[in-house]
Amino acid sequence: MDIPNPYTLPTIEFVGGESQELLFNVYFYKNRKPFSMIGCTSNFSVVDFTNKKGSPILNKSMDVLENGDGSAFNILSVDLTPKETYELSGKYIYQITIRDVNGNVEIPKQGLMYITNNINKSFIQK
């Protein structure tokens, strides 16, 4: 029996403390049409890979943006600030959770995040 891979979202790599604007296009699974996020709320959360069942170390709401051709509001955006990541280093799992206007929840799998240790943390703390 094949075990499905839960880490199908893009892998993200950066140095802890870098400003990050992460964008995710949301589509219907079967026909790949843009999924309108109007009225939906979404959340971005991160957990340490070695503590997969632990509480998230970062939780942020996501913004909804219009796509490039103006046909739908199907882009989710989250900004990670330097202060949120400068102390992090290692392998992490991120997850996006979407709630529609009726309260239904969708989780489009998870992704891996690799954060390289920042060698100048004191500069960011100022």
Side-chain angles (χ1 to χ4, degrees), residues 36-94:
S36 176
M37 294 292 300
I38 293 176
C40 297
T41 57
S42 55
N43 181 270
F44 181 86
S45 39
V46 177
V47 68
D48 192 302
F49 189 83
T50 60
N51 191 15
K52 296 175 188 176
K53 294 184 180 184
S55 297
I57 57 172
L58 180 63
N59 262 318
K60 293 195 80 168
S61 25
M62 302 180 81
D63 294 320
V64 177
L65 307 174
E66 188 174 19
N67 65 14
D69 66 10
S71 64
F73 283 86
N74 73 314
I75 297 176
L76 291 175
S77 170
V78 64
D79 292 324
L80 303 183
T81 67
K83 294 227 184 240
E84 292 171 325
T85 65
Y86 79 96
E87 292 183 315
L88 302 179
S89 68
K91 186 175 182 179
Y92 298 88
I93 301 167
Y94 73 91

Side-chain angles (χ1 to χ4, degrees), residues 1-124:
M1 176 171 72
D2 289 332
I3 298 173
N5 177 14
Y7 310 119
T8 58
L9 294 178
T11 297
I12 299 168
E13 299 178 23
F14 62 95
V15 175
E18 274 187 72
S19 296
Q20 294 292 312
E21 179 188 24
L22 305 175
L23 302 173
F24 301 91
N25 294 293
V26 184
Y27 294 94
F28 284 100
Y29 177 72
K30 290 190 178 190
N31 60 16
R32 303 294 296 162
K33 285 182 154 182
F35 179 85
S36 176
M37 294 292 300
I38 293 176
C40 297
T41 57
S42 55
N43 181 270
F44 181 86
S45 39
V46 177
V47 68
D48 192 302
F49 189 83
T50 60
N51 191 15
K52 296 175 188 176
K53 294 184 180 184
S55 297
I57 57 172
L58 180 63
N59 262 318
K60 293 195 80 168
S61 25
M62 302 180 81
D63 294 320
V64 177
L65 307 174
E66 188 174 19
N67 65 14
D69 66 10
S71 64
F73 283 86
N74 73 314
I75 297 176
L76 291 175
S77 170
V78 64
D79 292 324
L80 303 183
T81 67
K83 294 227 184 240
E84 292 171 325
T85 65
Y86 79 96
E87 292 183 315
L88 302 179
S89 68
K91 186 175 182 179
Y92 298 88
I93 301 167
Y94 73 91
Q95 176 178 299
I96 296 171
T97 306
I98 301 168
R99 180 177 290 121
D100 71 12
V101 294
N102 298 316
N104 299 311
V105 173
E106 180 67 33
I107 301 171
K109 303 288 187 216
Q110 297 174 336
L112 296 175
M113 179 182 289
Y114 294 94
I115 303 177
T116 302
N117 181 53
N118 184 314
I119 62 172
N120 193 5
K121 293 178 183 80
S122 63
F123 186 80
I124 296 171

